[in-house]
Amino acid sequence: VAMAATRSVMRAVRVFEFGGPEVLKLQSDVLVPVPKENQVLIKVHACGVNPVETYIRSGTYARKPALPYTPGSDVAGVIEGVGERVTAFQKGDRVFTLETVSGGYAEYAVAAANRVFPLPDKLDFRQGAAIGVPYFTAYRALFQKGCAKAGESVLVHGASGGVGLAACQIARACGLKVLGTAGTEEGMNVVLRNGAHQAFNHRDPNYIERIKACTGPGGVDIIIEMLSNVNLDADLQLLSRAGRVMVVGCRGRIEINPRDTMSKESSIIGVSLFLATEEERHECATAVLDGIEAGWLKPVVGLEYPLEKVASAHEDIICSSGARGKMVLLL
């Protein structure tokens, strides 16, 4: 039975036009959404901030939501009410989401019940907001698209952010040799604490040579690439025979020599969680929930912002000197 929210209006971030971080407007009189059939209403305690949300907001991304909209997909909180035909959840359940229908930068959010998962007591809401997009993306990049196998080596290029740390934890748990890059000493330490066997500072002018020395003449089997517009050309030099670069993040164009792929029969593969099938999402969810239960999946929370500072969060996720975990908004 659909439950009315305790309040009829809420605070939520609204975007009325595409543009810079200043278009994120916090409003206090937004109607609390009502869950329809197969949907749930969540009282949001924390919401993750993902780089893709800044691209969508700027209007430069392939997918443009209808204006006005509320950004945010990774929320963690408590079920406030359920729509018809929802049997998996009830009021009071702790949950996290992979995506929302109404937007996560808000005090309440509606989500499809099949995009909502139980949040075990061992993780807090901040950590819950750091699971969805990062871990599902990392699992998809490594296994569904990258066909990673135990015993192979993986270089996580930009390993100290949300997706990067997720990739390090998952790859390590699944028997891969894990190398990670970060932009700061602190970032490198976080990477090493979260599954990487070795870490490299990508601000060191000789870091590519250091990685080559580490992998030997064989090269690296898989590269999880967060900034392909900067690194793709160098990545192709680092790959093993039949190695593959998984393009998870990109902020512009880059020139490469396709011959570099021919000499090793290597691949450049794009990754988009948005294109995952229902079966693939279910596989990701199973692996993620299993990792939480087993204890190796431990989200690292980085910078935290109140909802009022959402514009700063969007600025910092693109411009900061080095990531240290997943950025979250706290409600």
Side-chain angles (χ1 to χ4, degrees), residues 35-59:
K36 300 190 176 93
E37 188 174 89
N38 296 317
Q39 293 181 341
V40 298
L41 177 67
I42 300 165
K43 184 174 192 335
V44 178
H45 285 254
C47 181
V49 180
N50 295 295
V52 69
E53 288 147 24
T54 70
Y55 310 152
I56 294 169
R57 182 216 70 228
S58 70

Side-chain angles (χ1 to χ4, degrees), residues 12-13 47 65-66 69 77 87 105 119 123 144 159 181 203 205 240 243 255 312:
V13 174
C47 181
Y69 77 98
T87 54
Y105 296 8
L119 179 64
L123 299 181
Q144 293 177 340
T181 73
R203 295 180 199 280
S240 64
E255 188 171 309
S312 305

Side-chain angles (χ1 to χ4, degrees), residues 20 91 112 122 146 162 199-200 232 236 260 263 317 323:
K91 187 174 162 74
K122 64 170 83 169
F200 304 86
L232 188 57
L236 295 176
D260 293 336
S263 56
I317 199 167

